[in-house]
Amino acid sequence: MSLTGTPFLYTTIVLSVVALILPLVLWSRMRGPKAFRAAARVLMLLFAQATAVTLIFVLVNNENNLYDNWADLLGTGNHVQQAANLGQDGTGGIALKTLPKVRQSFAAASGPGMRGVRVTQLKGRISGVNAEVYVWLPPQYDEPKYRNHKFPVVELLPGYPGSAKAWFGSMKVTAQLEPLMRSGRVAPFILVAPRTNLLAGVDTGCANIPGTVNADSWLSIDVPKMVTDNFRAAPAPADWATAGYSAGAHCAVKLAVAHPDRYRAAVSLSGYNDPIGERNSLAAQSVPLREQNNPYLLLRKAATPPRIALYLSGESGDGYQAGVALEQIAKAPTTVHVVYLPRSDGGHNMALWRPQVTTVFEWLTLNMGQSHAGAGTTPPEPSNAGSTHAALASGTASRAGAVRKR
């Protein structure tokens, strides 16, 4: 029975109801020795507590997409076939253009918020990772006038623990963005959500660690190649971005800073710079690993400032200071936009991140979507797109001014 399936949810509900009724019906009707009756009553209470805790866990897990399956929950899943030393650039010296095309078959994904999402099981030729990747195509993708158009891509990264489905389910990204893409307010991005929970019981930190995992190469090489080989996805770095929340926010910024030859923009929702921000991160296990995977240090030490745009939002003590630190060291052409979020009752969870989806994709549209205007195979923007872009630019400038005053 699937951990996230409806049958398991209904089973836990039924068991919880039964566990509540049993003591009411049997408590005073118990027969037999006193010790037996006491033991039976204790068991009924334990059963009621266990079913209640299980039901709460299932509801929380389904709402936040923390664990996809029993293997993730029990810590028995392993999606790493091999982890060779791939060198500093993560390619292992392989000329990526010489690799044959990756041809994948896709199936309809199941679960809340997964309408229109397809999934494939990808064996990464470079990283040695074998895991699922979810893909959603914008509404324009199948329109005749876009038949020769190549679309920009955003890789969506969850927190830890977290499911690759979370952006579609808990974050409701497609439900929020589809009407905005149809109206022209948001550019028609292809959305890609690869599995990031690759090893049992630990966060990979999106790092390459020889002998353990090559999560960086999985996300920045294998997944993009699969997407461009199977869909009309624009291959240029200017057309690729990353977005994440919590541990996924750290990964999103780290990937963009480390690989400006692969990404143009990154969005961080309540992220951190030092991998030690996630105590279960493999990238936090030693000082050298922390330094190699800290976007602040990578940006500060860069011989040439990378041509990337970063959007970072967070509350005080939870993402905001990390964004300000990057903003203070950034040099053109690197741009950093930091948004301060007042302390909320909800805190570090979906209730804080979900309402930001529209804003961050408007920002991505400004920083990536306009690059398609005027391209030979690109249909003209909707008539309201110019005014929309102007309004967005004005709104972004005013928000930036508000941030600086804080």
Side-chain angles (χ1 to χ4, degrees), residues 165-236:
K165 293 180 176 181
W167 274 88
F168 301 109
S170 303
M171 293 285 280
K172 303 185 185 304
V173 65
T174 57
Q176 294 190 66
L177 295 184
E178 184 171 0
L180 301 182
M181 290 184 183
R182 290 187 184 278
S183 69
R185 182 174 166 186
V186 168
F189 293 103
I190 294 175
L191 305 181
V192 179
R195 170 179 276 270
T196 56
N197 187 8
L198 303 176
L199 293 171
V202 293
D203 171 34
T204 66
C206 296
N208 275 6
I209 304 175
T212 302
V213 66
N214 284 319
D216 183 308
S217 295
W218 160 248
L219 296 171
S220 69
I221 297 177
D222 284 329
V223 171
K225 177 168 175 54
M226 182 278 290
V227 173
T228 54
D229 284 351
N230 289 269
F231 301 98
R232 296 197 313 278

Side-chain angles (χ1 to χ4, degrees), residues 1-305:
M1 192 177 293
S2 170
L3 175 65
T4 57
T6 301
F8 183 64
L9 173 60
Y10 286 169
T11 299
T12 58
I13 293 174
V14 170
L15 289 177
S16 297
V17 173
V18 170
L20 180 64
I21 294 174
L22 278 178
L24 297 175
V25 174
L26 301 178
W27 193 270
S28 60
R29 300 183 181 182
M30 300 292 295
R31 299 291 182 266
K34 185 177 181 179
F36 172 80
R37 285 180 285 146
R41 287 167 179 164
V42 168
L43 287 175
M44 285 192 291
L45 291 176
L46 291 175
F47 179 55
Q49 290 180 329
T51 54
V53 170
T54 300
L55 177 58
I56 292 173
F57 165 77
V58 171
L59 293 174
V60 170
N61 186 57
N62 288 353
E63 172 64 21
N64 295 282
N65 292 114
L66 299 175
Y67 300 98
D68 257 347
N69 49 50
W70 292 104
D72 288 345
L73 174 62
L74 300 176
T76 59
N78 189 326
H79 297 268
V80 178
Q81 297 177 313
Q82 61 180 354
N85 188 338
L86 300 178
Q88 188 172 359
D89 67 352
T91 66
I94 298 173
L96 302 181
K97 292 183 178 180
T98 65
L99 290 174
K101 285 187 177 295
V102 178
R103 293 303 185 190
Q104 294 288 121
S105 58
F106 291 80
S110 60
M114 303 302 285
R115 182 180 64 85
V117 180
R118 58 195 74 191
V119 62
T120 189
Q121 190 74 18
L122 174 64
K123 294 182 179 180
R125 295 176 179 174
I126 302 298
S127 66
V129 170
N130 183 355
E132 67 270 23
V133 181
Y134 296 89
V135 178
W136 181 84
L137 303 175
Q140 291 88 342
Y141 192 87
D142 291 324
E143 293 182 9
K145 66 179 180 180
Y146 282 84
R147 61 182 177 276
N148 296 318
H149 179 61
K150 291 189 176 181
F151 293 82
V153 183
V154 181
E155 280 190 73
L156 305 174
L157 309 176
Y160 174 83
S163 163
K165 293 180 176 181
W167 274 88
F168 301 109
S170 303
M171 293 285 280
K172 303 185 185 304
V173 65
T174 57
Q176 294 190 66
L177 295 184
E178 184 171 0
L180 301 182
M181 290 184 183
R182 290 187 184 278
S183 69
R185 182 174 166 186
V186 168
F189 293 103
I190 294 175
L191 305 181
V192 179
R195 170 179 276 270
T196 56
N197 187 8
L198 303 176
L199 293 171
V202 293
D203 171 34
T204 66
C206 296
N208 275 6
I209 304 175
T212 302
V213 66
N214 284 319
D216 183 308
S217 295
W218 160 248
L219 296 171
S220 69
I221 297 177
D222 284 329
V223 171
K225 177 168 175 54
M226 182 278 290
V227 173
T228 54
D229 284 351
N230 289 269
F231 301 98
R232 296 197 313 278
D239 297 297
W240 280 75
T242 57
Y245 57 85
S246 190
H250 162 76
C251 286
V253 175
K254 180 257 178 174
L255 290 173
V257 173
H259 306 296
D261 58 330
R262 302 170 196 173
Y263 301 100
R264 175 53 49 84
V267 170
S268 167
L269 307 179
S270 302
Y272 48 85
N273 292 324
D274 190 332
I276 207 169
E278 169 51 62
R279 64 179 181 274
N280 291 319
S281 174
L282 290 174
Q285 301 307 306
S286 71
V287 172
L289 277 174
R290 286 171 60 186
E291 292 178 348
Q292 293 164 16
N293 292 280
N294 185 330
Y296 173 83
L297 296 179
L298 293 175
L299 187 60
R300 193 180 71 180
K301 296 177 181 178
T304 302

